[in-house]
Amino acid sequence: MKKYISIFLTGLFLATTACDGDFEEINTDPNRADGEVFDPNLILPTVSYNYGNMITGYTGAILFQSMWVQVMASTSTGGANYYSNADKYVPSGSTNSYIQNVWSNGYSAASRVNQMQKLSMEKGYTNLNAVGGIMKVLILSFVTDIYGDAPYSEALMAEEGITQPVYDSQDDMYMAMLADLETALTTLSTSGDQIKNDVLYSGDVAKWQKFGYSLMLKMAMRLVEVDPSTAQSYVQKAIAGGVFASPADEAVLVSDQANGYSNSSANALNVVDDIYEVRWSDVLIDYMKASNDPRLSVIAEVPPAGLAANRNGNVVGNNDPAAQIGMPNGYDIKGGATDISNEPNFPGPTGTGDDATPIGAYSRPTAIYRDREAPVFILTYAEVQLLLADAAVRGYSTPMTAAEHYEAGVLGAMTTIGKFGGGTVSTAAAQAYADANPLDISTTDAALEMINMQIWATTGIQVNFVESWNNWKRSGYPELTPINYTGNFSGGQIPRRQPYPASESTTNGTNLQNAISSMGGDTWVNTVWWDAQ
């Protein structure tokens, strides 16, 4: 990404010196540069990073969905008390701030996309405009999947005088987004304008097309329970258009710590309290151990004994799969009834004396998750193939059988885990795992459970926690036991959405209240339209 940031800054300098003497003002507000001089391609890497930052780290995913869907767990005591929002559905001091992050960041990123598209059309950059269309749908579909009804038809229209946009119902929003995505994809052309400064696909139009159609597939599969006819129609369109054909096609965003574009989840997991108290859940570890998943040694380690080693992210732990123990959700280290030491399968403390720790035997993420240069996985070949397997089980027309798509997804997941830059799974080990764990097609329910358990685990260990949670809402898998910790904000239920930001009540109050009325409330457990499980 470094070269793109350098190009971005150079472009700002040229735009500034060409049309205004106040470099500082325009450098901090690139949209003030003259549209005739400014190249809208320079906005694309910022938009890409904005999205990657929104779906990772303290923006919300790791503090909410990572543990709601029981991929991770935390005792959330002491310095890591903010993880109570995730592990126990209990508010912390900054919960209201966490609630609004995705909303604020999402519409900010979408606004940049909108500006990029306007400049693109002025210059006749139809391909860049189409990429903007894909990015806008990507961003705002992420927002609506978290909150429900949201502005779309009147969003991003402040220049036209609309500063209080209506909230579209999510069903209307999905129909509009799918149509807009289809329009963008039909205008992409390999003979059109060159896409520059592209940190996702280096200007490869064919790969942008595959990404767009893969996104269409994912969005269509959201609708299988609530609108199966539309779901099937757009699944077929996505397949006909051409989805990811291999892990080489997937949307993976590079990070660049030296220039301020580090991996946000890694930033979080490098905080000492996070290093100590954030662990893989027993649900995940038990699932992976049951099938001898070769990714387990890549993602999990048990730290050396003692408190000091457990608080040190630079110390390498034991990654032997047999040694891994997942932490159960819903426990603390406060010495009361919910203290982790009272859990029936408590493995005991590690270390002695002042260096003892009650949670030292539980598996934590390996160093790949603390690498600030680690990539951000937006959408992968594995997820696409597993969604195609799900579609095939439901009777949709797909390129291969459900079992073949499932195997392709599993093998893809084994390849993609190596993109973190740490341990890898060999081709032989991946194939052996796939051969030993073929899709169970004895019943529809058995097949859907196996497929969606794999989606949950794969997206979870790729740190795409919101996707794990969304697919759980869509499919009902895995079957999770909610945590009912004292003082929780969801009535002892796993949260199914985030409430709207408090700021909306003052900036767009009437339309907010209309949306709340339409959705039947503004709680953590209201369901969004497509969540019919």
Side-chain angles (χ1 to χ4, degrees):
M1 181 179 284
K2 183 175 181 179
K3 68 176 181 179
Y4 297 112
I5 297 168
S6 177
I7 291 170
F8 181 63
L9 294 175
T10 300
L12 290 180
F13 176 76
L14 292 173
T16 302
T17 56
C19 58
D20 199 303
D22 189 350
F23 172 76
E24 181 178 358
E25 183 178 8
I26 293 187
N27 190 41
T28 56
D29 186 4
N31 302 314
R32 295 280 303 278
D34 191 328
E36 293 182 3
V37 177
F38 187 77
D39 184 351
N41 281 280
L42 296 171
I43 301 175
L44 184 56
T46 302
V47 167
S48 301
Y49 179 75
N50 287 161
Y51 180 77
N53 191 56
M54 180 178 67
I55 70 174
T56 55
Y58 289 154
T59 304
I62 202 167
L63 296 175
F64 285 147
Q65 288 86 359
S66 70
M67 298 174 194
W68 290 352
V69 77
Q70 297 178 17
V71 169
M72 286 183 156
S74 176
T75 43
S76 59
T77 304
N81 64 81
Y82 37 83
Y83 280 101
S84 65
N85 294 278
D87 188 77
K88 303 167 181 64
Y89 336 139
V90 171
S92 65
S94 298
T95 300
N96 286 336
S97 175
Y98 304 149
I99 286 171
Q100 69 182 11
N101 282 338
V102 166
W103 185 276
S104 300
N105 292 345
Y107 280 103
S108 175
S111 178
R112 283 185 178 272
V113 172
N114 195 48
Q115 293 158 357
M116 183 180 77
Q117 288 184 288
K118 286 183 177 180
L119 288 170
S120 298
M121 291 310 293
E122 288 175 6
K123 293 178 176 293
Y125 295 169
T126 55
N127 276 343
L128 183 61
N129 180 62
V131 165
I134 295 170
M135 291 299 296
K136 185 164 69 175
V137 170
L138 175 71
I139 292 164
L140 294 182
S141 64
F142 187 84
V143 172
T144 185
D145 286 347
I146 288 176
Y147 297 97
D149 296 359
Y152 189 77
S153 60
E154 292 185 356
L156 316 175
M157 297 180 69
E159 291 183 6
E160 290 80 2
I162 299 177
T163 57
Q164 294 181 320
V166 298
Y167 284 57
D168 295 272
S169 63
Q170 192 182 61
D171 53 339
D172 287 344
M173 196 170 173
Y174 251 78
M175 297 307 106
M177 289 190 297
L178 285 166
D180 288 349
L181 182 58
E182 186 175 9
T183 297
L185 286 165
T186 57
T187 59
L188 272 174
S189 172
T190 54
S191 62
D193 54 290
Q194 181 183 0
I195 302 168
K196 306 171 186 175
N197 310 321
D198 178 8
V199 294
L200 278 179
Y201 289 122
S202 299
D204 190 326
V205 171
K207 288 194 174 182
W208 272 105
Q209 289 171 324
K210 290 180 182 179
F211 174 42
Y213 282 114
S214 297
L215 174 61
M216 181 184 289
L217 170 70
K218 185 181 78 169
M219 292 177 63
M221 290 300 291
R222 291 273 199 265
L223 312 184
V224 291
E225 297 293 340
V226 71
D227 189 351
S229 176
T230 299
Q232 185 169 6
S233 174
Y234 274 99
V235 166
Q236 304 308 157
K237 288 181 181 181
I239 292 170
V243 296
F244 294 155
S246 77
D249 295 329
E250 53 199 21
V252 180
L253 181 67
V254 297
S255 298
D256 181 14
Q257 181 189 357
N259 288 282
Y261 290 76
S262 56
N263 184 297
S264 295
S265 290
N267 289 341
L269 294 176
N270 271 287
V271 174
V272 172
D273 291 311
D274 293 41
I275 292 170
Y276 180 47
E277 289 199 65
V278 175
R279 307 286 165 135
W280 294 117
S281 77
D282 59 344
V283 181
L284 179 74
I285 296 297
D286 290 352
Y287 168 76
M288 296 184 77
K289 289 180 75 172
S291 61
N292 294 315
D293 193 317
R295 293 172 293 182
L296 185 54
S297 64
V298 177
I299 69 146
E301 65 180 16
V302 177
L307 179 62
N310 271 260
R311 292 176 64 84
N312 187 342
N314 295 318
V315 174
V316 178
N318 178 8
N319 69 341
D320 181 351
Q324 306 310 313
I325 301 174
M327 175 182 283
N329 295 87
Y331 289 90
D332 55 45
I333 46 177
K334 297 179 179 179
T338 52
D339 191 273
I340 193 76
S341 63
N342 293 321
E343 200 273 327
N345 296 311
F346 178 58
T350 69
T352 58
D354 291 341
D355 192 44
T357 170
I359 61 175
Y362 293 112
S363 301
R364 72 180 183 189
T366 56
I368 62 174
Y369 296 98
R370 294 185 290 276
D371 181 3
R372 290 185 169 92
E373 295 282 348
V376 174
F377 296 94
I378 295 173
L379 185 58
T380 66
Y381 170 76
E383 185 178 356
V384 165
Q385 289 299 311
L386 293 168
L387 288 171
L388 287 172
D390 185 306
V393 169
R394 297 174 189 275
Y396 298 3
S397 177
T398 54
M400 300 187 293
T401 66
E404 289 169 334
H405 279 300
Y406 181 78
E407 180 177 356
V410 167
L411 293 175
M414 300 295 160
T415 297
T416 297
I417 199 67
K419 293 186 179 183
F420 271 108
T424 60
V425 176
S426 70
T427 301
Q431 190 62 59
Y433 175 79
D435 290 344
N437 297 277
L439 181 64
D440 181 355
I441 56 173
S442 60
T443 66
T444 296
D445 286 346
L448 289 176
E449 179 176 12
M450 196 167 180
I451 291 164
N452 288 290
M453 286 291 294
Q454 187 62 242
I455 292 176
W456 165 79
T458 295
T459 54
I461 65 178
Q462 290 171 353
V463 201
N464 198 344
F465 302 125
V466 174
E467 189 56 36
S468 302
W469 174 67
N470 278 329
N471 197 69
W472 166 76
K473 290 189 295 181
R474 179 189 74 88
S475 70
Y477 297 112
E479 296 179 357
L480 301 172
T481 301
I483 303 303
N484 195 7
Y485 194 94
T486 301
N488 72 81
F489 48 57
S490 61
Q493 300 178 58
I494 298 173
R496 303 188 82 94
R497 65 179 289 271
Q498 290 175 206
Y500 292 116
S503 59
E504 281 292 286
S505 63
T506 55
T507 59
N508 197 9
T510 299
N511 289 317
L512 171 65
Q513 289 305 316
N514 289 339
I516 290 173
S517 177
S518 175
M519 291 188 63
D522 184 26
T523 73
W524 298 87
V525 294
N526 287 109
T527 57
V528 301
W529 167 68
W530 56 254
D531 179 4
Q533 283 294 327

